[in-house]
Amino acid sequence: MSAHLPAIQIVVPLLAAALCVLVPWKRVSWGIAFAGSVTAFFAAIGLLSRVLDGEEIRYALGGWAAPWGIEYRIDAVNALVLLIVAGIGVVVTPFALKSVERELDGRRIPLFYGAWMLCLCGLLGIAITGDAFNIFVFLEISSLSAYALIAMGSDRRALVSAFRYLIMGSVGASFIVIGIGLLYVETGTLNLADLAERLPALHGERTVLVAFAFLTVGTSLKLALFPLHLWLPNAYTFAPSAVTAFLAATATKVAVYVLLRFFFTVFGTAYSFEQLRLGVWLLPLALVAIFTMSLVAIFQGNVKRMLAYSSVAQIGYIILGVSFASVTGLTAATLHLFNHALMKGALFLALGCVMYRVGSVHIDALRGLGRRMPWTMAAFTAGGLSLIGVPLTVGFVSKWFLVLGALEQGMWPVAALVLVTSTMAVVYIWRVVEAIYFGEPSPRAESATEAPLSLLVPTWALIVANLYFGIDATLTTSVAGQAARTLLGGAP
Amino acid sequence: MEVLGLFNYWVVIFLMMVGFYALISRGNLVKKVIGLNIFQTSVIIFYVSTGKIAGGTAPILIGDDHGVAEAGAEVLYSNPLPHVLMLTAIVVGVATMAMALALVVRIRETYGTVEDDEIQEQVLADEAVEGARA
Amino acid sequence: MNAGELALLALIIPAVGAGLVGLLRAQPNLREAASLVTGGVLLGVVMRIHRAVAAGEIPRLVLAEPLPGIPLELEVEPLGMIFALVAGSLWIVTTLYAIGYMRGHHEKNQTRFYIFFALAISCTMGVAFAGNLFTLFVFYEALTLSTFPLVTHAGTDAAKRAGRVYLGILLSTSIAFQLFAIIWTYLLTGTIDFEMGGILEGRAGEGVVAVLLALYVFGIGKAAVMPFHRWLPAAMVAPTPVSALLHAVAVVKAGVFSILKITIYVFGIDFLTQLGASVWLMWVAAATIILASLVAFRKDNLKARLAYSTISQLSYVVLGAMLANTMGIIGGGMHIVMHAFGKITLFFCAGAIMVAAHKTEISDMRGLGRTMPVTCAAFFVGTLSIIGLPPAGGTWSKWFLGLGALDAGQVGLVAVLMVSSLLSIGYLMIVPVRAFFSPASNPHGHGHANGGIHEAPLPSLIAIVITSLCCLALFVYPDPFFQLISMVAGP
Amino acid sequence: MESVVDLALLGLLAVTAIAVVRVRNLVAVVMLMGIYSFLSAALFVVLDAVDVAFTEVAVGAGVSTILALGTVALVGTRQQRHAKSPVIPLLIVLVTGGMLVYGTYDLPRWGQADNPIHGHVAPEYLADHVPLAGQDGEALEVHIPNIVTTVLASYRGYDTLGETTVVFAAMVGVLLLFVGTGGRRGASARGAGGGDDDPDGAS
Amino acid sequence: MRDQIILRIAAKILVGPILLFALYVQFHGDYGPGGGFQAGVIFAAGIILYALVFGLDQARAVIPMGVVMWCGTLGVLIFGGVGVVAMLMGGNYLDYGVLLHDASHAQHIGILLVEAGVLVTVFGVMVTLFYSFAGRRRAG
């Protein structure tokens, strides 16, 4: 069966989605979703371990040879992304069980898990496929379900956020389709590897340039690259807790992956970074994103929104690593994909626990919770430290490589700025930590008790991962390093 | 043919941009959704027109059921692949539209309006309430 | 168990102590006993390690390898041994003191206090035994974080504000400058290990070295070199034992110790002297010495005055490091020890006065010598040591620093040292002098202010006597520390 | 002949699109959208995309229009005039459109048989002779005349699975939004009453 | 519209042929334009027409919401399931060639099956969407 792992990776969540909707019992529906995500997780581990052996996995769907049929192509880069998505899925699904029952009307729950699995399936599908148009199809699966999931937030602003996300997301998707179409017209193929072979001959063409521009802008809309991030803060703020945690940790990461795939594999480093000098464009964007969004995060009253802005800033860090177009830079970027998923996942889950008990995640609602919910708050603090980049957490590892990458390029002001901006993270995280431990409890917080185990265990699982991969980053750095070399076209 | 070759694309681009404009400039959510629909339909027109071969015919092979390949060699068929892709795109478009319209309906039910600026006012009011309550 | 594992044990013991304290929170007596026992065990372990180090051994132990080629590693070299000895021996004394103080002062959340106190010591040991720049950075940050709850212990708005300043300055300087410098060093040399004679020689030019050195000196905010000194006075809102041990010994000494260590093992003394890249930093240190003394003059609050005195004295060590010659390093290393014992005595006294006489302002302390003779006598001894007068230990460090400045040809710095000593006579000596020779300032104040002897609680008093005796003993017998520092200070 | 029809249809499409932007009665706009779909379907026939045309009529002109009409019936038919300045949207549109026009200069001319798009993958489809994976170029003939069907259901069947899933996702999404929320007549359908209501939402 | 007898009769007459036409489109998809999508939509159109003329509740009585939802889901399972069966029979996912001994013939079967899946889903979803939108009362 291991030859079919790539298919299992996608098909199991897909079929699980259908089954979730079919069964009328919410707990059974959850069970199916959980089984689906566990299967996907083990499939992702299996694929990653095969890729790490130096194999590039190809899987022809329908048995048709590549440029004619659709194929999966898995190397270190997407194997890592698959693991991130499936891993977060397997952690957040157990969390969803109680959290969703609290935040959602019971009749919706089977449908919710249907959408949940569809979102997982869509994100995995984008990451695994080797076909440009197929990316679009799965992008739509994940996006449509994400819109619905976000709209499930209990605040009425969730609806507006979901609608705005839908508009921005659809524009992004349409841009991507236009880009793919232009490439297709120029080359006659949709297969990514095939495109990569045929494009170098066309590097001077204006059409290719425009295709590049549209793909970049379209994908950037999806990954919320500053200044195309406007949909993100509210979407994350008002979505149900589990949805925020899942999407924040996965959706933008997959979009970044798509960007990396097009920049480095399809168009090639020579085109993107030498001919178009993309680094010159990405670098200032990333820096402005990091700086302004960290600044905005400092002034947010709603902690979820604060973290959402911080997410936009963190995407800036990833793009910064990409802009160096060097092995270290890309290692930093891919590492941060993984690490940021861990820390933001953990932080949003901790907030989910607060939401469960207190019903609000405004900073004033968190006051004095340090005594009432010690484990949850300890998790939040630990996640926050990781976000700041304190050593022995994953955040530090990312930062280390990022600064190293900047210094390698001789850009020491950039390196300095990376470090200076992480002190801004100190400010916005510490505001919350201070409220948690020194604030006078609000009436609602006064009666709050520690979150139930089914919420705490997933949260702490991610915190432990934050610490573990911070103390022993050998595995993650070697995978990220391999991914970076793969992207730059060297031997894996 | 040479001029027409590009002119065709230009008109399609114009169509796309009209849809795009309706999408980003109008405050009425229904209008936005319809603008999105026009935009997407125009992208479909663009794809399909790239598959056309002048003087060609629809990619349904002519001839008896068994010797299709041989018979097909003499007839000029338009490219089937864009058609397939666009079948998908049409369906994706309607799916997106259904989602968008459902959201519009729900927004209307909770906000009592589908005009962007009026909704924004209420959203800001909500933010103020949240700030004051906490 | 070899010495490397013992070093790890030195980190674990306080952490275990913290756990014990947490478990015994319901029985304060047992809890305090646990603290004391842990302190005793730690001191024993540190002594054992010292035996190995004094014999010329350099124990090592790799704990983990977070990043390839960048291990988390413990290594006990003589300089670290000095620091560990100071921190280890003073911890047990401070615990003794704290028991009296915290009870006498009726502090809340005493369990939390002892837990984080123990954790901070664990981190201090980590700093002392750090085997490379990364490990040093890890424990340095951990020390900041573990002391934060102690600074904000009172939970008042003032404490919160102070905590913000504390964390803000220490974290941001370390992340923005120190980490930057570490990564830069790694990029230049491909290693982050501490090596005798430095790792940068031949790998970096004069300009780069100057910038790097500045990044380290300012990035190690705990050394409180101006203008990054504001956190130290702010931290004084903490309970006095915290100020005494952490902000006179552990935390601040972790800062100057790190600078000394980096100077010796990353830059290399010879390399630095040869480049002359540190000269301007000497003057920054000198300026801090003078300016902080001047500010201290204007503080009426005793703890605040002591805090600025600390800032001033810390820069002696920084100055010693920047002199980058044998005498300078010996002076700096010795000053870590001497200042630790002297300043902790002063803080103990300040706390004792606060608990027993409820006085915090110097102007209120006239005539206090009559009600608290032992405390005020101890204060006098501590003052002698800080100023650098015989028969207290501080004499030696000042002496060597002066020699170092002369060796470096910086006569101006010798003048700075003289002026600063005069200043410290002025702002410190005034306290015991007034206490003994002025009439009581407010005879109608507290009832007990006049009537007979009213000293601090007994455990605290014992602690005060011990440390002040140590100050005197170090004048007669500074040999163990002198031997250790000589091992690293070159010929 | 083809080109004339082609141009005429494009012209009509342009007119319809502009009307969509300008007309403020939403019912009319929805009808215009339906007309736009019909016109594009006609264009697809000219462009030899009969399957696409068929689908566009059924889905684009049919389902979309019905759903949009239903929505308009629920949310009101007037679009308000609003004060927002059209400058920024116009600018975005001009830049985007300009980019695309710029890109077309290097685009292969419309309708040429030797364009790359017709050369690489398509011939094997049209020859009904598509290679199988991992079998040294050995190919299989499916023997279905409508190549679009074969490509859709077999060669790129996985895309179609995805597309089916998108449709399914839309159903799940819409149900999620509507189940258990206000204004439900559907919920009361099983109970008493409600039966006499005219489904004005869809007429 | 309940009183408009002509419309009702016309609709009654029309619904049958529409459904038949849908089946034609489905099965003729191999030879002419058409296939699962179009057939599904046309099938749905038949139901929608019925609902428009006879009222939503009448239509729901004939084909309840639960059934169409179930259809919408079932189609995905059919499509995905064909792929799984292919996998179990030793081929790659969605490789219909392994379903029968003769690969070419097997492709026909596979295509027919997945088109059926598409038809069922599209039909189910379209009717569900229609029911959902038409079943809402105007608020405010």
Side-chain angles (χ1 to χ4, degrees):
Chain A
M1 225 42 203
S2 88
H4 292 298
L5 269 185
I8 290 169
Q9 177 82 80
I10 306 303
V11 173
V12 169
L14 197 157
L15 296 179
L19 291 175
C20 284
V21 174
L22 275 187
V23 295
W25 306 284
K26 54 189 184 185
R27 289 280 166 116
V28 176
S29 189
W30 173 84
I32 295 168
F34 185 56
S37 53
V38 168
T39 317
F41 179 59
F42 282 112
I45 290 180
L47 286 175
L48 184 66
S49 64
R50 272 171 65 186
V51 167
L52 287 184
D53 293 339
E55 183 187 355
E56 192 195 35
I57 303 173
R58 300 179 61 165
Y59 185 86
L61 288 148
W64 301 106
W68 294 275
I70 294 169
E71 66 166 352
Y72 290 151
R73 233 172 217 254
I74 305 155
D75 55 23
V77 193
N78 47 357
L80 181 66
V81 176
L82 289 172
L83 184 71
I84 294 172
V85 175
I88 294 293
V90 89
V91 176
V92 181
T93 310
F95 182 92
L97 176 63
K98 280 200 169 171
S99 167
V100 167
E101 277 176 15
R102 173 65 54 96
E103 291 174 37
L104 237 70
D105 175 3
R107 275 177 297 175
R108 287 175 169 181
I109 288 177
L111 288 165
F112 178 90
Y113 286 113
W116 183 259
M117 281 291 102
L118 282 173
C119 195
L120 179 68
C121 162
L123 293 171
L124 291 169
I126 299 169
I128 202 170
T129 189
D131 186 279
F133 198 78
N134 200 241
I135 289 181
F136 164 70
V137 173
F138 277 83
L139 186 69
E140 284 298 331
I141 296 179
S142 67
S143 305
L144 278 181
S145 41
Y147 307 144
L149 290 173
I150 288 169
M152 289 304 98
S154 44
D155 191 294
R156 67 173 182 164
R157 280 169 285 176
L159 292 169
V160 181
S161 317
F163 185 81
R164 289 184 181 156
Y165 181 23
L166 185 146
I167 294 295
M168 296 278 262
S170 300
V171 170
S174 301
F175 274 36
I176 292 173
V177 174
I178 294 173
I180 293 172
L182 290 172
L183 287 184
Y184 173 53
V185 174
E186 285 283 289
T187 61
T189 185
L190 289 167
N191 187 281
L192 294 177
D194 208 16
L195 276 171
E197 261 173 46
R198 289 165 168 263
L199 277 176
L202 303 166
H203 274 173
E205 299 249 334
R206 281 176 279 192
T207 309
V208 174
L209 175 68
V210 173
F212 183 86
F214 270 75
L215 283 168
T216 307
V217 173
T219 319
S220 302
L221 266 167
K222 281 285 175 186
L223 65 85
L225 177 62
F226 183 88
L228 303 173
H229 66 281
L230 295 172
W231 58 269
L232 186 140
N234 276 347
Y236 282 9
T237 308
F238 299 115
S241 311
V243 173
T244 309
F246 180 67
L247 287 182
T250 57
T252 48
K253 310 292 171 297
V254 172
V256 171
Y257 158 76
V258 173
L259 204 64
L260 288 175
R261 195 47 103 193
F262 275 108
F263 283 173
F264 293 97
T265 310
V266 175
F267 288 96
T269 323
Y271 183 70
S272 313
F273 286 90
E274 282 159 33
Q275 196 169 334
L276 297 185
R277 303 174 54 72
L278 192 61
V280 178
W281 296 88
L282 289 182
L283 184 79
L285 269 184
L287 290 179
V288 173
I290 295 169
F291 194 78
T292 54
M293 291 299 110
S294 302
L295 197 65
V296 172
I298 292 173
F299 297 100
Q300 296 305 316
N302 185 313
V303 181
K304 241 172 143 182
R305 188 179 314 203
M306 179 197 95
L307 290 180
Y309 276 109
S310 144
S311 279
V312 184
Q314 299 291 325
I315 289 163
Y317 285 115
I318 297 174
I319 296 300
L320 186 67
V322 174
S323 77
F324 300 148
S326 65
V327 173
T328 317
L330 282 176
T331 307
T334 33
L335 253 182
H336 202 50
L337 277 186
F338 181 80
N339 293 345
H340 181 240
L342 290 184
M343 47 206 189
K344 269 296 151 57
L347 283 169
F348 277 119
L349 285 187
L351 285 185
C353 297
V354 175
M355 195 70 185
Y356 187 82
R357 283 296 188 215
V358 185
S360 166
V361 287
H362 200 276
I363 189 163
D364 295 311
L366 264 69
R367 282 186 198 290
L369 276 185
R371 283 169 183 282
R372 305 293 183 286
M373 304 175 71
W375 286 96
T376 308
M377 291 301 122
F380 186 90
T381 313
L385 290 177
S386 188
L387 191 65
I388 293 169
V390 168
L392 301 188
T393 62
V394 289
F396 178 78
V397 179
S398 312
K399 223 140 268 181
W400 176 274
F401 276 94
L402 206 55
V403 173
L404 206 60
L407 286 176
E408 258 180 20
Q409 308 281 312
M411 297 192 234
W412 62 268
V414 173
L417 211 61
V418 167
L419 293 170
V420 169
T421 48
S422 55
T423 62
M424 295 169 82
V426 176
V427 177
Y428 60 73
I429 288 296
W430 220 259
R431 257 177 80 231
V432 183
V433 169
E434 220 181 73
I436 289 171
Y437 289 104
F438 300 111
E440 282 306 309
S442 67
R444 265 184 300 183
E446 194 70 61
S447 57
T449 50
E450 186 53 86
L453 270 185
S454 75
L455 270 63
L456 271 184
V457 171
T459 312
W460 272 92
L462 283 182
I463 292 295
V464 168
N466 265 294
L467 299 177
Y468 177 78
F469 290 112
I471 292 169
D472 183 9
T474 322
L475 179 67
T476 46
T477 47
S478 76
V479 177
Q482 190 177 335
R485 284 187 295 277
T486 311
L487 282 172
L488 288 171
Chain B
M1 208 61 216
E2 187 69 10
V3 184
L4 187 71
L6 287 183
F7 184 73
N8 224 308
Y9 293 131
W10 292 346
V11 178
V12 177
I13 290 168
F14 174 77
L15 295 176
M16 281 184 206
M17 290 308 120
V18 173
F20 190 33
Y21 178 74
L23 168 73
I24 56 179
S25 72
R26 300 293 117 162
N28 184 294
L29 302 190
V30 179
K31 198 67 167 278
K32 274 184 187 293
V33 176
I34 289 171
L36 179 64
N37 186 286
I38 302 279
F39 185 23
Q40 287 176 333
T41 310
S42 312
V43 174
I44 293 167
I45 299 176
F46 169 75
Y47 261 78
V48 171
S49 55
T50 62
K52 169 70 179 172
I53 297 180
T57 173
I60 298 174
L61 302 184
I62 303 162
D64 60 23
D65 275 5
H66 298 286
V68 275
E70 289 76 18
E74 292 129 36
V75 188
L76 199 54
Y77 296 110
S78 285
N79 193 339
L81 189 49
H83 303 174
V84 175
L85 302 181
M86 288 309 106
L87 283 177
T88 308
I90 290 174
V91 175
V92 168
V94 77
T96 313
M97 183 151 174
M99 264 308 292
L101 290 176
L103 276 168
V104 171
V105 169
R106 293 281 293 116
I107 286 174
R108 156 79 200 190
E109 282 167 6
T110 42
Y111 290 83
T113 173
V114 290
E115 297 292 331
D116 207 22
D117 36 3
E118 291 171 23
I119 294 168
Q120 187 57 29
E121 274 170 30
Q122 296 190 38
V123 167
L124 290 178
D126 282 358
E127 311 262 304
V129 168
E130 186 181 56
R133 191 180 54 220
Chain C
M1 194 171 243
N2 66 34
E5 285 158 355
L6 279 176
L8 178 60
L9 200 63
L11 264 72
I12 294 172
I13 289 167
V16 170
L20 276 179
V21 168
L23 286 177
L24 299 171
R25 60 182 174 273
Q27 293 117 316
N29 287 331
L30 276 180
R31 181 186 69 192
E32 262 82 304
S35 279
L36 279 175
V37 170
T38 323
V41 174
L42 177 66
L43 188 58
V45 169
V46 171
M47 295 295 209
R48 275 283 310 272
I49 304 172
H50 175 233
R51 215 179 330 161
V53 174
E57 197 184 328
I58 296 192
R60 276 200 187 82
L61 185 69
V62 174
L63 300 178
E65 194 160 330
L67 291 164
I70 300 171
L72 195 64
E73 186 184 13
L74 298 182
E75 181 192 82
V76 192
E77 42 69 57
L79 193 63
M81 197 61 241
I82 293 180
F83 186 36
L85 273 175
V86 172
S89 51
L90 286 180
W91 184 36
I92 186 163
V93 183
T94 310
T95 309
L96 195 63
Y97 177 82
I99 292 169
Y101 177 89
M102 295 302 275
R103 293 186 176 187
H105 208 240
H106 307 294
E107 290 273 357
K108 292 180 298 183
N109 300 323
Q110 293 196 19
T111 306
R112 188 179 79 191
F113 175 86
Y114 287 112
I115 289 179
F116 282 103
F117 208 109
L119 287 179
I121 292 300
S122 177
C123 299
T124 309
M125 290 296 155
V127 171
F129 294 154
N132 56 34
L133 278 170
F134 170 71
T135 315
L136 182 68
F137 182 69
V138 168
F139 286 109
Y140 179 94
E141 295 289 50
L143 183 58
T144 309
L145 293 172
S146 60
T147 46
F148 173 77
L150 296 172
V151 172
T152 53
H153 185 80
T156 58
D157 279 342
K160 267 190 273 182
R161 261 199 308 280
R164 249 176 257 162
V165 174
Y166 183 78
L167 203 70
I169 293 181
L170 289 185
L171 271 188
S172 53
T173 51
S174 67
I175 292 176
F177 302 147
Q178 191 187 350
L179 180 58
F180 187 72
I182 291 173
I183 299 178
W184 199 349
T185 309
Y186 176 68
L187 200 72
L188 289 172
T189 62
T191 176
I192 47 163
D193 287 340
F194 292 128
E195 271 167 39
M196 200 66 210
I199 53 176
L200 277 166
E201 188 163 2
R203 297 237 169 70
E206 188 184 339
V208 172
V209 168
V211 174
L212 261 184
L213 190 62
L215 283 173
Y216 278 119
V217 168
F218 291 117
I220 297 172
K222 293 196 170 101
V225 176
M226 278 181 180
F228 297 108
H229 66 284
R230 278 284 309 135
W231 63 271
L232 184 54
M236 289 304 137
V237 296
T240 306
V242 175
S243 308
L245 182 61
L246 299 179
H247 300 119
V249 181
V251 173
V252 291
K253 293 300 170 339
V256 289
F257 163 75
S258 302
I259 290 182
L260 210 51
K261 190 152 178 170
I262 286 169
T263 313
I264 297 171
Y265 294 99
V266 173
F267 290 90
I269 304 171
D270 298 337
F271 183 53
L272 262 189
T273 328
Q274 184 190 323
L275 286 181
S278 59
V279 174
W280 75 281
L281 286 167
M282 292 178 199
W283 288 100
V284 172
T288 306
I289 292 174
I290 300 293
L291 286 174
S293 303
L294 290 175
V295 177
F297 248 112
R298 302 188 45 213
K299 296 287 171 188
D300 190 35
N301 183 293
L302 181 56
K303 276 179 82 175
R305 184 174 287 192
L306 290 179
Y308 275 97
S309 154
T310 306
I311 295 172
S312 164
Q313 297 290 322
L314 287 174
S315 277
Y316 278 83
V317 185
V318 178
L319 181 63
M322 293 304 115
L323 285 171
N325 55 27
T326 306
M327 289 304 153
I329 297 295
I330 292 180
M334 292 300 275
H335 200 60
I336 289 182
V337 183
M338 301 310 172
H339 178 253
F341 281 93
K343 196 45 82 52
I344 203 169
T345 309
L346 296 185
F347 271 110
F348 280 173
C349 295
I353 294 169
M354 197 154 93
V355 171
H358 303 286
K359 288 186 198 300
T360 55
E361 305 303 305
I362 294 162
S363 46
D364 294 341
M365 292 177 190
R366 291 171 208 277
L368 203 62
R370 261 149 267 173
T371 49
M372 301 179 73
V374 181
T375 305
C376 290
F379 199 100
F380 179 69
V381 174
T383 306
L384 284 182
S385 190
I386 296 295
I387 299 168
L389 293 176
T395 321
W396 296 118
S397 50
K398 295 271 160 103
W399 175 252
F400 283 112
L401 280 172
L403 286 180
L406 282 177
D407 275 4
Q410 299 282 0
V411 186
L413 290 176
V414 181
V416 167
L417 292 175
M418 309 279 268
V419 171
S420 135
S421 289
L422 285 177
L423 284 172
S424 48
I425 291 177
Y427 65 79
L428 276 183
M429 203 50 104
I430 191 80
V431 181
V433 167
R434 273 191 190 164
F436 282 117
F437 301 111
S438 298
S441 54
N442 54 344
H444 307 296
H446 297 287
H448 54 255
N450 276 333
I453 306 273
H454 186 87
E455 285 282 3
L458 188 64
S460 300
L461 205 61
I462 296 173
I464 291 173
V465 172
I466 292 175
T467 52
S468 51
L469 288 179
C470 284
C471 287
L472 298 175
L474 281 171
F475 178 73
V476 189
Y477 186 65
D479 291 15
F481 295 109
F482 189 76
Q483 272 168 8
L484 284 170
I485 191 70
S486 303
M487 289 164 88
V488 295
Chain D
M1 184 58 211
E2 267 177 347
S3 354
V4 177
V5 178
D6 174 71
L7 282 179
L9 284 171
L10 283 174
L12 285 171
L13 280 167
V15 172
T16 319
I18 293 171
V20 164
V21 176
R22 299 201 58 87
V23 173
R24 301 228 312 284
N25 181 314
L26 292 176
V27 177
V29 172
V30 171
M31 296 322 286
L32 282 170
M33 185 188 85
I35 291 170
Y36 190 87
S37 276
F38 266 118
L39 287 172
S40 47
L43 186 62
F44 295 152
V45 175
V46 177
L47 296 174
D48 299 337
V50 278
D51 281 88
V52 184
F54 198 161
T55 315
E56 181 63 39
V57 170
V59 176
V63 177
S64 300
T65 310
I66 288 179
L67 292 181
L69 276 177
T71 309
V72 169
L74 290 170
V75 303
T77 58
R78 288 293 297 171
Q79 174 205 341
Q80 285 172 16
R81 189 180 291 278
H82 67 132
K84 244 199 288 183
S85 145
V87 174
I88 291 170
L90 212 56
L91 212 67
I92 295 175
V93 166
L94 283 178
V95 169
T96 318
M99 267 304 271
L100 278 171
V101 171
Y102 171 81
T104 56
Y105 279 99
D106 282 339
L107 219 53
R109 294 302 177 261
W110 181 79
Q112 307 279 323
D114 54 355
N115 285 348
I117 188 173
H118 306 306
H120 182 39
V121 178
E124 280 81 357
Y125 289 154
L126 287 167
D128 190 14
H129 196 79
V130 173
L132 290 165
Q135 300 189 10
D136 301 325
E138 192 189 314
L140 180 70
E141 296 175 359
V142 180
H143 300 308
I144 287 181
N146 187 352
I147 300 300
V148 174
T149 301
T150 332
V151 179
L152 183 86
S154 189
Y155 307 138
R156 295 186 67 90
Y158 180 60
D159 255 357
T160 309
L161 173 62
E163 162 189 8
T164 314
T165 313
V166 171
V167 176
F168 172 65
M171 178 183 88
V172 173
V174 171
L175 286 174
L176 261 178
L177 282 168
F178 281 174
V179 165
T181 54
R184 71 214 74 103
R185 184 168 40 201
S188 67
R190 274 183 213 111
D196 279 41
D197 283 355
D198 185 64
D200 57 356
S203 55
Chain E
M1 271 183 259
R2 294 192 149 222
D3 309 326
Q4 297 181 346
I5 193 82
I6 299 173
L7 236 169
R8 294 183 64 177
I9 290 174
K12 224 170 215 169
I13 296 171
L14 269 176
V15 169
I18 288 178
L19 299 186
L20 262 181
F21 178 60
L23 289 179
Y24 170 79
V25 168
Q26 163 79 5
F27 293 107
H28 196 256
D30 289 2
Y31 305 99
F37 282 102
Q38 296 90 334
V41 174
I42 294 169
F43 220 106
I47 305 298
I48 292 171
L49 179 68
Y50 186 84
L52 289 179
V53 177
F54 295 96
L56 190 59
D57 297 303
Q58 182 72 31
R60 286 184 170 211
V62 178
I63 300 190
M65 182 71 159
V67 172
V68 285
M69 258 179 72
W70 196 74
C71 281
T73 315
L74 186 71
V76 176
L77 286 175
I78 294 176
F79 202 143
V82 171
V84 173
V85 170
M87 215 156 74
L88 293 176
M89 292 177 72
N92 271 1
Y93 189 71
L94 288 178
D95 183 355
Y96 319 132
V98 296
L99 295 177
L100 288 178
H101 186 65
D102 173 15
S104 182
H105 195 208
Q107 285 286 343
H108 286 241
I109 301 289
I111 290 172
L112 206 67
L113 283 173
V114 299
E115 290 270 17
V118 172
L119 171 107
V120 174
T121 292
V122 171
F123 159 74
V125 171
M126 293 307 158
V127 178
T128 308
L129 292 181
F130 172 77
Y131 281 176
S132 304
F133 276 84
R136 283 187 94 73
R137 185 180 294 124
R138 179 168 174 169

